[in-house]
Amino acid sequence: MQTENAKDIIVCEGVKKWFGDFQALKGVTTTVKEQEVVVVIGPSGSGKSTLIRCINRLEAHQEGKIVVDGIELTNDLRNIEKIRSEVGMVFQQFNLFPHLTVLDNITLAPLWVRKNPRDEAEQSGMELLERVGIPEQAHKYPGQLSGGQQQRVAIARALAMKPKVMLFDEPTSALDPEMIKEVLDVMKELALSGMTMIVVTHEMGFAREVADRVLFFDYGTVVEDGTPEHFFTNPQHDRTKLFLSQIL
Amino acid sequence: MADKSKIVLPDIEELAPEPPPKGPVVWAKDNLFYSVASTILTFVGLLIAVLFVRGMFGFILSPDRKWDAVTTNFRLLMVQAYPQEATWRIWVALGSIFGLLGLSLAFWRAGGKMEPRKLSQVATAAGGFLMFVVLVAPFTTTARIVVVVLALVLIGVGVGIVRMLGERAKEATIPVLLLFAIAAGLVIAALWVLQVPVPNPEAGAGESQLQGIAATTSGPWTIIYLVTLAAYFLGIVLRRVIPERPGRLVLMALWALAFPVIVLHLARGVEFQNVGQYLLIGGGFAVIGSAIIWYLADPVRGELGRGLAGLLLVLAIAAWMVSALILIRLLLLLIAMFALGGPTFAGGARQTRLRYIGVWIGAVVITVYFMLLATGVSIVQTSNETVFGGFFLTWILAIAGIALSFPLGVVLALGRTSTMPIFRLLSTLYIEVIRGVPLITWLLVSVVVFPIFFPLDVLFVAPVKVTLFIAFFSAAYLAENVRGGLQAISKGQTEAANALGMTTLQRTIFITLPQALRAVIPALVGQVIAIFKDTSLVAIVGLFDLLKIARDIIPTQTQPFNFLGSLRESLLAAAVIYWIFTFIFSRVSLRLEEKLGVGTR
């Protein structure tokens, strides 16, 4: 999926983050190129979610530098809003807006953040719902959908902003096993279409099949960084070997 | 252990479902007499009910009661000193509200279908209650026969519906709106047909004559009824011609305008002053403001737009320090608001900006109109400087108080949950100070202390001052209710809105507030009912609301009739009037909760 000489879209340099006295990120340095699919793996509490939440400033990092699409993340509110509208995010708990219909969930941000006309927003909203396979649910409320359907709506909602990067924060962890596949299929299709993606997940099959790169996180830093083959067959670090032996 | 393969499977045929035990005897046993204690409690409860109904009806039906004090003074209770020849204004006002109601019912496709079974239950229960009343209350023989017949008819209808329809009684087939229309029609018919004895001033004390129960109002009420029906059918026709969304928006705007226009313009009967000057100022602001907003909302302007808008806001606030026409100060403030909101709501496509300018011009027109209303002179002559009194005043105070306190309460709630300490501090201070002092004290402050601090007081008559303080007071309580709703919203909602690039304002308007308000509807309706009843406290500052008239005016009348000592009758009547409307509020709130799905999420 990734082409040679693609430009860097996300650059992290020595990113550090504390929650109170607890240090969640201990100087993370990594780069994501355009159209690259990066899967982030690691035990819970290793800081992997914190990193992607820092990338669209849901958490503010305290030291180091994060540059998204050429804009550095600082406290400047205008930059943050700009970056957030270029970076789509999918949450573990879906976080759909329960008081709006599925279609309204998807069109809200295009209407008011992008300021697209209503008919245009609704048309592309319906196209996105077809893309994730549930156009018939457009006028239902999120509470009436299954978990898998809700997560697909959440993906469509993020895509509606035509983002340059998509962040997935454990998108299948809150789903019943039989619904995981339908969400992963949508994500696979998205990866094949050339979207830049950073996916925090425990789905090793997805990592092996779709990822261009796997980052292994522990103790708030990147322990291992390489292709899926390298990661699964020839890990360098002892910590990685231990982790893999526990889950495989 | 026995051989498991020997287990005999039950015959499927024998497992066919048996009907559950039911019937009145089973119900009574399960609900009224399921233990010794419950049996005792049932009989104690019944005894209390008997004593209450007997006492109540004994009071109402006693020959000593002067109910004609209430019937004769009904007009006084409703509108107090509002002149007879201007009453058409109030009828026109009511007519337009009901017309709007008819249109809205059509546009919102209100009213579902009801099961005949439910109707039958209501009719049977009402009949049963009447039977109970007739058994224990001291009616005369004729009255007894009438009530028994009525009760039997109701029970007959109730049982008949179920018998006739059988299983079909469980299908929702009766349109609720039709039911309401028929019920209202019956009430209207009763206004024409039913007659009550009314004292006759010519015939001397104790003599009375029969008169229709609503001699002067049956005509207008009939017209209003027909107007409502016509508006509903007009709405159904219009619904096919006009797209739903803009239609509803227009109706909502009309509802928002209805109250101030009716109270300030129609019922007060305004003669405008300085029309030329106001139109000139308004026109100037509309043109210059459009240019400014168009310029600042252009996305090319970027940060400069917000900066200049902030400067405008400082200017607008400064205008309140120097002497200038209130209209000019208001319009300056309005320009600043629109300029600040510009990048959020109108930046981007040319079309959105044009629409934003349209909204701005609309806002100018409305502001100029309201300032003309506020400065105009009333042509309705009354003996009372406030023009309004009675139940009409109660409604005005309640609606204006609610309408003003809602936005204020929401802002305070947002302030109290804000991340900025200064807003949090100010809101908390306001809420604690206002809540810590009784409403009566604040009402006294409004007429006694307020004028000392606020030299513009001459512009405000007593009802305006009182309304403001009712609003200030109830806003503090509303804020606490809304805060509860805001805190119940999960962090994920905020994060999802943020992740989509929404600004704080957009997030609050589209995501946080709608959810927070929905979650606290029961508390909000409780607050509405509280305001409605608390308006009766305005008697303390000399306003003549429903309760004041019932308590202090009617029982002191000696001319043309002697109503001395009719205090209890008029108080009971006032209580019933309050109750009817608060009961309607709570029913509407239940419907609203169902419709917005509170608790089902």
Side-chain angles (χ1 to χ4, degrees):
Chain A
M1 287 138 262
Q2 180 196 359
T3 51
E4 291 301 314
N5 307 323
K7 79 171 196 187
D8 296 344
I9 193 152
I10 295 173
V11 180
C12 302
E13 274 171 30
V15 176
K16 292 182 185 174
K17 163 79 189 168
W18 288 263
F19 291 108
D21 288 333
F22 173 73
Q23 188 171 13
L25 297 178
K26 298 174 181 162
V28 176
T29 302
T30 190
T31 308
V32 178
K33 292 187 187 310
E34 255 180 349
Q35 305 208 337
E36 198 174 20
V37 176
V38 177
V39 169
V40 184
I41 293 173
S44 57
S46 62
K48 53 195 194 306
S49 286
T50 307
L51 178 70
I52 69 168
R53 288 163 64 83
C54 281
I55 290 174
N56 69 352
R57 196 82 177 180
L58 288 180
E59 309 285 357
H61 60 282
Q62 282 132 320
E63 277 178 31
K65 195 167 137 185
I66 299 178
V67 180
V68 178
D69 198 22
I71 307 173
E72 188 182 347
L73 273 174
T74 58
N75 274 328
D76 187 337
L77 215 61
R78 301 298 292 166
N79 275 350
I80 294 171
E81 278 162 19
K82 176 96 177 72
I83 285 171
R84 281 174 177 166
S85 65
E86 303 293 342
V87 179
M89 175 114 178
V90 175
F91 299 87
Q92 182 179 357
Q93 299 294 344
F94 329 135
N95 293 345
L96 293 177
F97 306 130
H99 61 300
L100 300 176
T101 62
V102 164
L103 188 60
D104 287 339
N105 260 283
I106 296 173
T107 55
L108 186 67
L111 275 176
W112 294 100
V113 179
R114 286 262 188 264
K115 313 245 168 13
N116 294 342
R118 181 172 289 276
D119 42 352
E120 194 183 307
E122 286 185 353
Q123 199 194 335
S124 63
M126 284 310 295
E127 283 164 14
L128 281 168
L129 277 177
E130 255 157 62
R131 189 167 167 193
V132 300
I134 39 173
E136 72 283 357
Q137 312 285 0
H139 299 289
K140 287 196 185 163
Y141 286 89
Q144 297 167 299
L145 306 187
S146 74
Q149 290 171 329
Q150 290 195 41
Q151 193 60 297
R152 286 189 275 164
V153 173
I155 295 174
R157 177 175 72 178
L159 288 176
M161 292 293 286
K162 301 199 168 61
K164 293 182 175 151
V165 184
M166 285 283 282
L167 308 175
F168 293 84
D169 188 2
E170 304 200 21
T172 55
S173 299
L175 294 176
D176 291 340
E178 70 266 31
M179 291 165 184
I180 291 178
K181 186 173 177 299
E182 63 188 55
V183 172
L184 289 182
D185 284 347
V186 169
M187 288 167 62
K188 255 177 238 173
E189 186 268 333
L190 198 58
L192 290 173
S193 73
M195 174 64 74
T196 314
M197 292 163 62
I198 303 181
V199 185
V200 173
T201 186
H202 298 297
E203 295 295 327
M204 297 302 148
F206 179 83
R208 211 180 280 228
E209 193 181 337
V210 185
D212 295 312
R213 245 170 80 203
V214 174
L215 296 185
F216 179 70
F217 249 77
D218 204 356
Y219 307 115
T221 189
V222 180
V223 175
E224 192 105 20
D225 181 349
T227 63
E229 284 131 56
H230 161 85
F231 177 76
F232 285 108
T233 56
N234 187 23
Q236 301 298 303
H237 205 280
D238 288 344
R239 183 67 191 90
T240 320
K241 287 175 192 159
L242 179 68
F243 179 76
L244 284 173
S245 73
Q246 279 165 341
I247 59 157
L248 291 180
Chain B
M1 225 173 138
D3 188 358
K4 275 187 182 170
S5 62
K6 281 282 170 75
I7 291 175
V8 182
L9 288 170
D11 184 3
I12 302 292
E13 290 299 313
E14 281 174 20
L15 282 179
E18 302 167 51
K22 57 180 175 187
V25 177
V26 176
W27 182 87
K29 200 160 176 234
D30 284 350
N31 292 281
L32 301 176
F33 310 112
Y34 57 87
S35 70
V36 177
S38 80
T39 312
I40 293 172
L41 281 177
T42 301
F43 280 111
V44 169
L46 196 66
L47 186 67
I48 293 174
V50 168
L51 288 178
F52 175 75
V53 169
R54 196 177 165 74
M56 198 69 191
F57 278 87
F59 172 81
I60 293 172
L61 296 170
S62 157
D64 300 338
R65 294 285 87 77
K66 293 181 174 175
W67 287 111
D68 48 356
V70 174
T71 49
T72 315
N73 283 306
F74 207 71
R75 186 191 156 74
L76 193 69
L77 282 172
M78 289 297 119
V79 294
Q80 204 228 352
Y82 202 78
Q84 186 90 49
E85 64 276 9
T87 316
W88 64 268
R89 292 175 177 276
I90 292 178
W91 288 117
V92 170
L94 274 175
S96 22
I97 296 226
F98 276 90
L100 212 48
L101 180 70
L103 280 175
S104 307
L105 286 177
F107 258 86
W108 268 270
R109 300 168 191 278
K113 299 270 172 93
M114 191 171 153
E115 298 168 21
R117 197 174 48 152
K118 204 152 195 189
L119 193 63
S120 135
Q121 281 168 356
V122 171
T124 319
F129 178 71
L130 281 184
M131 279 302 220
F132 173 68
V133 168
V134 99
L135 271 178
V136 299
F139 282 111
T140 61
T141 320
T142 14
R144 228 173 221 148
I145 293 168
V146 172
V147 176
V148 166
V149 169
L150 195 62
L152 287 177
V153 168
L154 279 171
I155 295 176
V157 168
V159 175
I161 290 176
V162 176
R163 279 282 148 81
M164 251 169 55
L165 293 177
E167 273 304 297
R168 277 188 300 147
K170 287 180 187 166
E171 294 162 21
T173 45
I174 307 175
V176 175
L177 280 184
L178 181 68
L179 224 52
F180 271 112
I182 292 173
L186 286 177
V187 172
I188 300 281
L191 291 184
W192 289 97
V193 175
L194 290 186
Q195 301 215 310
V196 286
V198 167
N200 183 350
E202 274 100 62
E207 295 293 313
S208 60
Q209 59 184 24
L210 281 178
Q211 200 189 347
I213 52 172
T216 54
T217 58
S218 46
W221 276 121
T222 312
I223 295 172
I224 287 178
Y225 178 65
L226 295 176
V227 163
T228 315
L229 287 185
Y232 180 71
F233 290 112
L234 179 69
I236 287 182
V237 175
L238 283 179
R239 202 169 70 189
R240 303 209 175 108
V241 188
I242 306 171
E244 208 156 81
R245 197 187 280 266
R248 286 182 180 182
L249 280 177
V250 169
L251 277 175
M252 282 198 264
L254 285 177
W255 274 112
L257 285 178
F259 174 75
V261 170
I262 282 169
V263 172
L264 296 173
H265 197 162
L266 198 58
R268 218 173 120 239
V270 171
E271 197 170 25
F272 291 143
Q273 313 279 316
N274 307 323
V275 182
Q277 186 195 3
Y278 274 51
L279 287 184
L280 203 66
I281 295 174
F285 266 93
V287 173
I288 299 167
S290 299
I292 294 177
I293 293 164
W294 178 262
Y295 176 81
L296 292 183
D298 195 328
V300 188
R301 236 47 82 197
E303 276 314 292
L304 183 71
R306 284 191 194 216
L308 287 178
L311 202 66
L312 268 178
L313 186 65
V314 173
L315 265 178
I317 292 172
W320 288 82
M321 313 286 170
V322 299
S323 98
L325 264 183
I326 292 194
L327 177 68
I328 295 179
R329 294 165 167 173
L330 279 179
L331 286 174
L332 274 173
L333 210 55
L334 210 58
I335 287 196
M337 298 288 189
F338 268 77
L340 274 176
T344 305
F345 292 102
R350 211 182 140 78
Q351 200 192 342
T352 11
R353 265 201 291 164
L354 272 177
R355 206 166 46 196
Y356 195 63
I357 296 287
V359 176
W360 153 251
I361 291 175
V364 171
V365 171
I366 290 171
T367 311
V368 170
Y369 171 65
F370 277 124
M371 280 317 291
L372 277 171
L373 283 184
T375 54
V377 180
S378 172
I379 53 171
V380 174
Q381 298 296 325
T382 62
S383 56
N384 175 346
E385 58 134 354
T386 62
V387 182
F388 306 120
F391 200 40
F392 190 42
L393 177 67
T394 299
W395 271 102
I396 292 174
L397 294 175
I399 296 178
I402 291 162
L404 291 176
S405 68
F406 258 78
L408 186 57
V410 167
V411 168
L412 284 169
L414 291 173
R416 195 157 185 187
T417 51
S418 160
T419 48
M420 291 176 73
I422 181 70
F423 289 148
R424 222 162 43 223
L425 182 73
L426 286 175
S427 305
T428 312
L429 197 68
Y430 176 96
I431 291 168
E432 296 303 340
V433 168
I434 293 276
R435 281 203 311 175
V437 178
L439 178 54
I440 287 207
T441 315
W442 286 122
L443 293 180
L444 289 171
V445 165
S446 77
V447 290
V448 181
V449 185
F450 187 55
I452 301 172
F453 292 100
F454 203 68
L456 280 172
D457 183 60
V458 280
L459 279 174
F460 296 141
V461 288
V464 178
K465 284 183 277 192
V466 163
T467 307
L468 284 180
F469 274 81
I470 289 177
F472 293 156
F473 185 78
S474 108
Y477 283 87
L478 273 171
E480 287 298 276
N481 289 335
V482 175
R483 180 168 72 107
L486 285 171
Q487 285 172 342
I489 294 173
S490 75
K491 201 162 163 259
Q493 292 291 309
T494 328
E495 286 183 353
N498 283 344
L500 288 166
M502 290 191 200
T503 62
T504 311
L505 186 63
Q506 289 169 340
R507 190 184 69 220
T508 310
I509 291 176
F510 298 123
I511 308 300
T512 338
L513 267 187
Q515 292 187 52
L517 293 179
R518 257 165 234 234
V520 295
I521 286 176
L524 295 184
V525 174
Q527 189 62 31
V528 166
I529 290 176
I531 298 177
F532 186 71
K533 292 181 300 178
D534 285 352
T535 54
S536 56
L537 292 173
V538 298
I540 200 89
V541 294
L543 292 180
F544 291 86
D545 78 311
L546 178 69
L547 189 65
K548 168 86 171 170
I549 293 168
R551 199 188 59 171
D552 292 347
I553 309 292
I554 297 177
T556 57
Q557 283 173 341
T558 50
Q559 285 293 326
F561 308 108
N562 181 9
F563 289 145
L564 286 176
S566 64
L567 175 64
R568 284 175 294 179
E569 289 88 330
S570 52
L571 281 185
L572 186 62
V576 170
I577 294 171
Y578 277 117
W579 179 80
I580 289 172
F581 288 94
T582 48
F583 184 67
I584 292 175
F585 292 161
S586 79
R587 292 289 108 174
V588 170
S589 134
L590 281 182
R591 280 284 296 152
L592 210 61
E593 272 173 59
E594 260 171 50
K595 203 149 190 190
L596 298 179
V598 179
T600 57
R601 258 188 280 120

